[in-house]
Amino acid sequence: MQYNAKAPYLVETHWQIEEVIDGDSIIIRNRFSQLQKRIRLYGLDAPEVRISRKMIEEEQKSHLAAHFLRQFGLMSLQYVLSVAPPKTNVTIITETNNYYDYWKRQLGYVILPGGECLNDLLLINGFAKATDKFYCSRLAEFQLMNREAQLNNIGIYSYVNNF
């Protein structure tokens, strides 16, 4: 994982996954202070797991029925649970110049105990797509990972060309 030297980072250790909300959002808890917060993964978007306004918008953009989009969202959620289940210790890296999203969730790169970045794994394995909705310094790299998964029919891309 390469970081942009121009972007200052905040590195937070001693966190544990409390709950996986969906393919691009988790709740974490500090192992010492018990402080809890919601993290939105940088640079990617996973299909929704619940029927919502956003899913209806995605249905119109993708021309895929909400039922299929929800199934893809559940696949993404299951993938995250398989590589980062609750109680997994994580490190959160946040770009200090781009700390929160529109809904005031902290944005983050989630680093797993083995050093893998959860954001990368979701893109490489085709369970999320790269998006510029929430800026991150690794966007170009994420777009390349996304395209490779798409071209190789990996993950959700084994069912559809776009989601």
Side-chain angles (χ1 to χ4, degrees), residues 2-9 95 135 137-138:
Q2 296 293 325
Y3 293 103
N4 180 342
K6 295 178 186 175
Y9 297 97
E95 298 177 9
Y135 173 81
S137 64
R138 298 184 62 214

Side-chain angles (χ1 to χ4, degrees), residues 1 17 23-24 41-46 75-76 78-85 88 90 108-130 138 141-142 145-146 148-150 154-157 163:
M1 178 169 165
I17 295 176
D24 53 33
L41 277 63
Y42 273 117
L44 58 89
D45 191 27
M75 289 170 61
S76 181
Q78 286 304 313
Y79 178 76
V80 174
L81 287 169
S82 74
V83 297
T88 300
V90 294
Y109 300 106
V110 176
I111 309 303
L112 301 175
E116 309 93 343
C117 178
L118 179 59
N119 309 52
D120 293 4
L121 292 175
L122 278 157
L123 291 164
I124 290 166
N125 291 292
F127 290 103
K129 61 184 175 184
R138 298 184 62 214
E141 184 182 353
F142 283 179
M145 290 177 194
N146 187 129
E148 287 179 16
Q150 188 180 35
I154 297 173
I156 296 170
Y157 292 116
F163 61 89

Side-chain angles (χ1 to χ4, degrees), residues 36-83:
Q36 196 178 49
K37 57 183 164 180
R38 191 175 189 138
I39 301 293
R40 171 67 162 83
L41 277 63
Y42 273 117
L44 58 89
D45 191 27
E48 298 298 308
V49 296
R50 292 171 197 78
I51 301 294
S52 63
R53 175 197 50 81
K54 184 177 180 221
M55 182 177 284
I56 302 306
E57 291 171 5
E58 289 176 356
E59 183 180 39
Q60 292 170 349
K61 286 181 201 173
S62 68
H63 304 291
L64 295 171
H67 168 75
F68 289 115
L69 292 170
R70 183 172 182 274
Q71 293 306 310
F72 297 149
L74 293 171
M75 289 170 61
S76 181
L77 171 65
Q78 286 304 313
Y79 178 76
V80 174
L81 287 169
S82 74
V83 297

